[in-house]
Amino acid sequence: GYAGGLISGLPVTSMAAISYCRITPRSMIIILDETVTEEQIQHVADKVAQLGLQTSISRGTYRTVIGVIGDETILQSAPLRAIPGVAEVVPVMPAYKLASKQAHPKPTIVEVGPVKIGGGYMAMIAGPCAVESPERMESIAKSVRAAGANIFRGGAFKPRTSPYSFQGLGEDGLKILRDVGAKHGMPVVTEVVDPRHVELVCEYADMIQLGARNMQNFVLLTEVGRTNKPVLMKRGMSATVADLLMSAEYIMAQGNSNVVLCERGVKGFDPATRNTFDVALVPQIHKLSHLPIIVDPSHATGRPELIPACALAGVAAGADGVHIEVHDKPEEAMSDGPQALLPKQYAELMDQIRKVAAAVGKQMG
Ligand code: PEP
Ligand code: MN
């Protein structure tokens, strides 16, 4: 269950992280300058020894390198690069450990109620951007469910760029979302924007969304990590692959390993689309991590006419799910109306997604 109040400090290193370090004998390689002196080499080796780690020195014709053996967490905060004679410090393992494929070679399957995500199972997340009236939610839920969606979405707390935009219905919205989802047999995902609301949102949601704007809100990540709720973590709009995985690590370091990543477009130079859809993130994540990754072509493109092709591209690239905003009256939507697919368009897209999913050996979770 939910274990925290407001967070009190930095995340603790979990037992899993510690045991993972033990299976990593060589943890860092220190490459020395071509002009390094014997004295400098000895000084570097002494510094590393002072940290309680072992070294193995390899002298090549042009370059000498020092392999460091031991717990790399000790090394992470040591400014080795500042020692005279050191050219480069190369970690052997990525800084994200729990999220890495080395830690867990098989794909993780995250379960959201009865829905499986990852390892061949796909999440079909659909719903309006914001939770609206019960009647509106009811009609959208009915149509997306009939089309094959398996998780219902809607934001009750909206992270809006403008403070004057609709901020969401709050707890009333959470209740509507939960009740409508339950009525139509779909678990629900909704965003949390404030560490003080994590406990409240957990009461209603089956999955917690961390939005692009909060991907590096480490206080929020830590707080969400202390729950056992599955997490949908959206890529920050200028986050690198490593940034995204480090943010997943924040959640996992607290003991919650139910993290699903989401590509939702990054800032590009061309205002023709809302963002730039980085479909290559999908195979990159599958190479580096065991965590599932889904695509959100709604926020990635911001244009209904581009969404179907991008959704299919994501599935073809191996995505573990598709997240799409659907509204039956986009012109009346409280948020993101211009990018919403109509229920009919969503149903047509789902027919195509099923074909591509079958071609790549995936099934609906
Ligand atoms: C959303 O899902 O409505 C949303 C705000 O997404 P993002 O955080 O990706 O912008
Ligand atoms: Mn939205």
Side-chain angles (χ1 to χ4, degrees):
Y2 180 78
L6 258 183
I7 66 126
S8 52
L10 289 170
V12 293
T13 304
S14 73
M15 286 309 289
I18 292 164
S19 60
Y20 172 67
C21 293
R22 294 213 179 98
I23 59 163
T24 314
R26 169 170 298 175
S27 49
M28 209 159 275
I29 294 168
I30 301 171
I31 302 171
L32 302 171
D33 283 334
E34 280 167 65
T35 55
V36 72
T37 64
E38 256 324 299
E39 249 183 352
Q40 286 175 327
I41 295 174
Q42 204 45 58
H43 179 63
V44 177
D46 289 348
K47 277 274 181 191
V48 173
Q50 275 167 25
L51 294 167
L53 303 165
Q54 288 177 303
T55 51
S56 81
I57 304 179
S58 331
R59 291 162 205 273
T61 315
Y62 301 105
R63 280 285 172 97
T64 296
V65 303
I66 302 181
V68 182
I69 298 150
D71 182 351
E72 83 260 36
T73 51
I74 298 171
L75 285 169
Q76 262 160 22
S77 50
L80 299 174
R81 185 71 183 70
I83 305 174
V86 173
E88 232 179 302
V89 178
V90 186
V92 173
M93 301 303 248
Y96 45 87
K97 299 178 180 59
L98 302 171
S100 76
K101 204 146 189 168
Q102 288 92 334
H104 192 287
K106 278 207 274 184
T108 283
I109 297 175
V110 172
E111 292 183 22
V112 180
V115 178
K116 292 193 173 100
I117 311 171
Y121 297 101
M122 293 178 61
M124 288 297 144
I125 303 175
C129 182
V131 177
E132 301 188 20
S133 70
E135 298 71 34
R136 175 122 288 150
M137 295 303 281
E138 180 63 41
S139 79
I140 298 171
K142 194 171 169 213
S143 61
V144 298
R145 182 61 174 158
N150 53 18
I151 298 179
F152 191 44
R153 69 146 281 148
F157 294 98
K158 295 303 301 173
R160 304 308 296 276
T161 299
S162 163
Y164 309 117
S165 300
F166 175 60
Q167 303 286 314
L169 295 178
E171 187 168 3
D172 291 343
L174 294 175
K175 285 191 185 129
I176 297 169
L177 182 70
R178 178 196 59 189
D179 293 348
V180 172
K183 181 167 169 203
H184 292 278
M186 288 181 285
V188 297
V189 59
T190 196
E191 180 164 353
V192 64
V193 296
D194 186 327
R196 293 169 297 185
H197 295 158
V198 171
E199 193 164 5
L200 174 74
V201 174
C202 282
E203 277 175 41
Y204 295 97
D206 300 292
M207 183 179 216
I208 303 278
Q209 178 171 325
L210 282 165
R213 289 159 192 79
N214 273 310
M215 190 205 84
Q216 289 188 315
N217 181 339
F218 303 118
V219 174
L220 184 60
L221 301 187
T222 300
E223 199 65 4
V224 168
R226 291 180 176 182
T227 76
N228 59 1
K229 286 282 174 187
V231 178
L232 177 61
M233 177 179 279
K234 296 235 188 153
R235 180 192 195 172
M237 43 197 97
S238 61
T240 64
V241 182
D243 292 338
L244 176 62
L245 289 170
M246 285 309 293
S247 287
E249 191 79 12
Y250 260 91
I251 309 269
M252 299 176 84
Q254 294 298 325
N256 184 351
S257 47
N258 303 307
V259 182
V260 175
L261 306 172
C262 180
E263 160 58 23
R264 47 78 72 207
V266 290
K267 287 271 185 202
F269 58 86
D270 191 343
T273 54
R274 184 175 178 184
N275 289 291
T276 296
F277 181 43
D278 179 14
V279 72
L281 183 75
V282 173
Q284 286 197 83
I285 290 294
H286 282 152
K287 187 156 190 278
L288 299 171
S289 176
H290 54 92
L291 297 174
I293 171 150
I294 70 168
V295 290
D296 169 2
S298 298
H299 293 90
T301 66
R303 286 175 50 186
E305 70 275 26
L306 305 181
I307 291 170
C310 290
L312 296 172
V315 176
D320 301 294
V322 181
H323 170 286
I324 294 195
E325 287 185 351
V326 179
H327 201 286
D328 54 3
K329 285 262 176 15
E331 63 184 52
E332 288 171 22
M334 309 289 283
S335 173
D336 281 352
Q339 72 187 26
L341 285 193
L342 293 165
K344 183 172 168 287
Q345 294 171 315
Y346 182 68
E348 284 164 11
L349 173 57
M350 281 297 291
D351 286 341
Q352 294 179 296
I353 288 177
R354 268 187 281 269
K355 289 182 198 154
V356 177
V360 294
K362 293 261 175 76
Q363 53 182 298
M364 303 303 165

